[in-house]
Amino acid sequence: MTAVVTHTAFTGPTYRTLFPDWSRPRPLSFFFLEELLEARAASTFPTGAEEPDEDVNIYLADLLTRAALRSDPGDAAFGSIPQWCPPAKALGRRARAHWYLRQGEHRLLYLGLFARGEARRRRARLWGMTEEETNRRDLVCGRACYEAAAALLEHGDAPDGLALTCARIARHFQRYVEVLTALGTGRWDLGARLSDRQLATLMQVGDPAPDTDAPREPDDGPGAMDAFLDTLGRYRRRPGAGLRRELLIRARRAGVDPGFMDAQAG
């Protein structure tokens, strides 16, 4: 496979996976690659659905890693400016390609994760446009930036590996936006909101209704704490409404502040 990632892929901060056989620290980009592959498998555009695109997975994992390590949104131009105000030709072919690439990357990330074209605007909907019109214009601009980057990177009989990846993203730009949306909403709960019912449940005061099926345990002493810890372990493995009620009852009996359930709900 042609190497396509020219940035700082698979470097930087590390993290530990949840799997015992993968307990050694791994690059932060490994985390993003795992999350991306899980999101793609659960999305309507899994890997290889239209054409072989494993290179895009590596590229997107690197893009997410670089975005996570930045403290600012980059030098993205507002709206459709990249289409109407191209970089000066004096910059050279590759420099112009990477300028378009940065514009495309910014729009790909922000459309996918935050449902807006770039970070400079105060509202997702542009003035005088509907949300659908704004989204369509942002998608066109992002795709055009990747097309321009691919065209500028293609040179001679041996195309640049990054050019092939950019061309592939341009062909399926909206689908890759959908993949990042699946990642942001399905894996990371970006933009999640509590329903009125969920909010009322979290704010309810007093003990929950007793669970008649729950085995009776001592109201105090080490037996109550052991029962609470056992129930907590079962709840973490398979959370459910009935087990949550039992857990709250056992927490009260063991003298544990029921407020700990806020963290469990998160």
Side-chain angles (χ1 to χ4, degrees):
M1 181 187 297
T2 304
V4 299
V5 179
T6 60
H7 304 284
T8 56
F10 300 102
T11 60
T14 60
Y15 85 110
R16 289 183 179 272
T17 67
L18 299 178
F19 303 101
D21 55 331
W22 292 354
S23 58
R24 65 183 179 86
R26 293 179 179 269
L28 182 61
S29 52
F30 193 87
F31 164 77
F32 285 115
L33 183 58
E34 280 187 320
E35 291 290 291
L36 178 69
L37 292 177
E38 291 286 349
R40 287 208 70 174
S43 74
T44 59
F45 192 55
T47 302
E50 296 289 340
E51 57 181 305
D53 63 347
E54 291 83 359
D55 58 328
V56 178
N57 289 335
I58 301 299
Y59 168 84
L60 290 177
D62 177 59
L63 176 58
L64 289 164
T65 303
R66 287 184 280 122
L69 297 176
R70 290 184 66 100
S71 59
D72 61 88
D75 56 351
F78 177 80
S80 297
I81 287 178
Q83 292 177 273
W84 309 115
C85 300
K89 292 185 177 180
L91 288 178
R93 192 180 185 92
R94 180 162 288 273
R96 284 181 286 142
H98 283 278
W99 185 86
Y100 277 115
L101 183 58
R102 290 194 301 272
Q103 303 300 321
E105 287 178 343
H106 188 89
R107 283 156 178 79
L108 178 62
L109 276 177
Y110 271 78
L111 282 168
L113 298 181
F114 309 113
R116 61 178 60 201
E118 28 76 18
R120 293 186 178 277
R121 66 186 63 171
R122 295 177 59 189
R123 298 181 178 86
R125 182 173 63 85
L126 292 173
W127 185 82
M129 292 186 176
T130 64
E131 290 186 9
E132 182 180 355
E133 291 170 338
T134 301
N135 181 259
R136 185 164 57 247
R137 194 182 79 162
D138 290 331
L139 288 171
V140 169
C141 183
R143 183 173 62 249
C145 287
Y146 273 99
E147 289 174 344
L152 288 166
L153 289 170
E154 288 177 355
H155 188 67
D157 296 330
D160 187 298
L162 185 57
L164 298 176
T165 302
C166 288
R168 187 168 287 124
I169 293 174
R171 284 194 295 272
H172 310 292
F173 185 79
Q174 184 170 354
R175 304 303 303 275
Y176 288 117
V177 168
E178 293 168 0
V179 167
L180 291 180
T181 299
L183 173 64
T185 58
R187 303 287 299 180
W188 298 341
D189 290 331
L190 296 180
R193 290 180 172 84
L194 292 175
S195 66
D196 292 340
R197 181 177 180 181
Q198 291 171 320
L199 185 61
T201 300
L202 290 174
M203 295 180 64
Q204 67 183 6
V205 179
D207 293 336
D211 189 344
T212 55
D213 295 330
R216 298 301 175 185
E217 298 290 343
D219 288 342
D220 53 17
M225 179 57 72
D226 290 343
F228 163 73
L229 293 175
D230 290 341
T231 307
L232 178 60
R234 288 189 290 125
Y235 178 82
R236 284 178 171 172
R237 289 192 297 272
R238 178 173 289 185
L243 201 54
R244 184 179 189 277
R245 290 195 299 271
E246 180 183 342
L247 183 59
L248 286 171
I249 293 172
R250 295 195 186 282
R252 177 175 55 80
R253 290 174 178 171
V256 177
D257 183 3
F260 83 99
M261 284 302 297
D262 291 345
Q264 298 296 320

